[in-house]
Amino acid sequence: MAVSTKKSPDQSPKFLFGKINFILMIVGIIIISVGYLLMIGGYPEDPNVFNADEKYSFTRITLSPIIIFIGLAVEVVAILYKQPASN
């Protein structure tokens, strides 16, 4: 008895994630990258002088972590999103 290994044309491979999932993942990675770029600091003019206003600015301490968390939330949505079944 021979077993046929040919696949019928209607049996296309099913992927775990769809196109929307990958788009959301890319968007999430971009948002996280922007958050980290906002966290990067500038080079001080005089390394012997500590500038607390530059080091502990609103952008670095508050805004950047919020943007990173938003990017992580987008990644979670990208993983959990399931497209409605098409008939």
Side-chain angles (χ1 to χ4, degrees):
M1 188 178 233
V3 177
S4 175
T5 58
K6 289 187 176 184
K7 291 183 181 178
S8 63
D10 61 332
Q11 290 181 344
S12 61
K14 294 254 181 175
F15 294 107
L16 185 60
F17 295 124
K19 183 178 179 181
I20 295 175
N21 297 93
F22 286 114
I23 291 171
L24 286 173
M25 285 182 195
I26 291 170
V27 168
I29 289 171
I30 290 171
I31 293 172
I32 292 170
S33 300
V34 167
Y36 279 117
L37 287 174
L38 288 174
M39 200 179 290
I40 293 175
Y43 186 75
E45 294 175 12
D46 185 9
N48 297 323
V49 177
F50 179 73
N51 187 358
D53 293 333
E54 181 182 327
K55 193 62 89 175
Y56 301 114
S57 67
F58 170 78
T59 304
R60 289 185 184 171
I61 299 298
T62 307
L63 184 63
S64 179
I66 290 172
I67 291 175
I68 291 171
F69 283 129
I70 290 171
L72 291 173
V74 170
E75 290 294 328
V76 170
V77 170
I79 292 171
L80 295 179
Y81 180 76
K82 185 174 181 179
Q83 295 178 346
S86 61
N87 292 334

